[in-house]
Amino acid sequence: MRLGRAAVVTDTGRRRLGNEDAYVWGPPLFAIADGMGGARAGEIAAGIAAATFEEVLGRTMGADAISEVIADANRRIWERSLADPATAGMGTTVTVALVDEDGETVVFGHVGDSRAYRMRDSVLEQITTDHSLVAELVESGVLTPEEAERHPQRSAITRALGTEPAVEPDVFTVDVVPGDLFLLCSDGLSDMLTEEQIAAAIERAGGEPEAAGNELVKEANARGGDDNITVLLFEIVAGEPDPERTAALEDTARATSPDGPSKNAGDPSASPEPRPDEGLRRHGAGPGGRIAAIVLLVAILIVAALVLYWGITS
Ligand code: MG
């Protein structure tokens, strides 16, 4: 077996002013990160996580190496947050998938509430466990899964990269069969769509990664687009492993991202000025969207008044 088609789509959504999700596109390695923290701190944390993985692309890696890279990213974010008070408390989720050389297994590394799903024979299954308060309450029988989906604290995560000196990631390996389609996504998708809706969107796209990615983002926005949405899909197909074909994926899928290659990767300090609008809320409708709407409305009224005044006086 080998890696087949793949695609990534990231979108700001309909309520946020900026996109604090990041992704790594390095077939056969893929990752997404969803940052949290005040001002631009979430973007910085996600960017450091992505950059740490970008540095190791091309190396032969297994589960141990994935653990080490996650530990390294955690340390870098933690140290940056200590050195820069504006970023204190920042953190990020990370969900990484590495298709092994023979195409027989995929290694996953995971911290936080971004998710990995596997679609096999039209059945969608979540293969990561959310490190979130509501997931723990479901596990202990306090909440039903349905109650968890609507719970006001559903965005509270219990494990993140960079918020402590060390982190314990989930690292595990799954066997694959030809036709398996994997989806990595940030909670901007999974909070907006149920598993049934995610599966239906993938089916409508015929399981084609790029079409499915676009369909999922469109659906999440149609249902509110409360948060940044990142979806990364890749399929496993029959055939001999083909490193050249894997390398060629590099160009095709980069072209499918509206934001260009590896947003947030590299030096996050090169990004625009801080936005003091989001506090520590990562999820739900922050005040940023409403403020932007009011500013836009005022601007439109001023322009209208000027046009009217100009029309009367000229
Ligand atoms: Mg998010």
Side-chain angles (χ1 to χ4, degrees):
M1 284 172 282
R2 61 176 177 80
L3 182 60
R5 298 168 296 181
V8 61
V9 183
T10 187
D11 190 87
T12 305
R14 295 178 60 191
R15 291 180 182 265
R16 298 302 182 96
L17 293 176
N19 192 338
E20 298 196 340
D21 288 355
Y23 63 84
V24 177
W25 183 264
L29 184 146
F30 306 99
I32 60 167
D34 178 356
M36 61 175 194
R40 278 183 48 245
E43 188 181 343
I44 293 169
I48 293 171
T52 308
F53 274 97
E54 298 238 318
E55 281 177 23
V56 300
L57 295 181
R59 286 189 205 163
T60 302
M61 296 202 291
D64 289 347
I66 294 291
S67 294
E68 285 165 20
V69 179
I70 290 174
D72 190 23
N74 185 83
R75 184 181 48 74
R76 290 185 193 193
I77 297 165
W78 171 251
E79 287 176 357
R80 172 74 183 267
S81 75
L82 294 182
D84 177 2
T87 65
M90 71 174 171
T92 183
T93 72
V94 70
T95 301
V96 54
L98 172 67
V99 182
D100 82 346
E101 278 182 337
D102 59 11
E104 304 286 325
T105 58
V106 181
V107 179
F108 286 90
H110 167 67
V111 176
D113 68 349
S114 297
R115 290 181 176 177
Y117 290 95
R118 182 187 62 203
M119 184 94 153
R120 177 181 288 177
D121 299 330
S122 299
V123 177
L124 188 74
E125 186 187 351
Q126 184 181 339
I127 57 175
T128 49
T129 304
D130 293 348
H131 300 141
S132 69
L133 185 64
V134 292
E136 288 179 5
L137 292 174
V138 169
E139 178 74 17
S140 58
V142 175
L143 291 178
T144 67
E146 292 71 31
E147 287 167 337
E149 276 182 14
R150 296 187 299 271
H151 200 278
Q153 294 297 316
R154 66 182 181 278
S155 60
I157 60 176
T158 51
R159 249 188 267 181
L161 220 55
T163 55
E164 305 278 345
V167 68
E168 187 187 334
D170 292 344
V171 178
F172 54 93
T173 301
V174 301
D175 293 326
V176 298
V177 301
D180 279 352
L181 178 73
F182 290 91
L183 164 67
L184 310 184
C185 67
S186 59
D187 64 344
L189 182 81
S190 52
D191 274 357
M192 291 291 110
L193 303 185
T194 63
E195 281 188 16
E196 292 72 26
Q197 289 164 340
I198 293 172
I202 293 171
E203 290 277 288
R204 278 198 300 281
E208 197 282 307
E210 184 178 348
N214 289 327
E215 185 69 21
L216 288 166
V217 168
K218 193 182 85 182
E219 277 291 301
N221 276 325
R223 289 168 198 280
D226 286 350
D227 193 5
N228 306 145
I229 308 151
T230 301
V231 295
L232 195 159
L233 300 101
F234 62 92
E235 63 179 2
I236 303 294
V237 297
E240 288 299 306
D242 184 347
E244 276 183 29
R245 192 191 292 259
T246 300
L249 266 176
E250 188 101 20
D251 302 321
T252 56
R254 278 176 189 264
T256 70
S257 164
D259 285 3
S262 300
K263 183 193 71 61
N264 278 356
D267 178 13
S269 62
S271 300
E273 282 304 294
R275 277 181 287 110
D277 62 327
E278 291 203 355
L280 283 168
R281 297 180 51 164
R282 304 168 49 225
H283 305 271
R290 279 193 300 281
I291 292 168
I294 291 166
V295 167
L296 185 66
L297 184 66
V298 169
I300 289 168
L301 288 174
I302 290 172
V303 170
L306 284 174
V307 167
L308 195 64
Y309 176 76
W310 191 41
I312 290 168
T313 57
S314 59

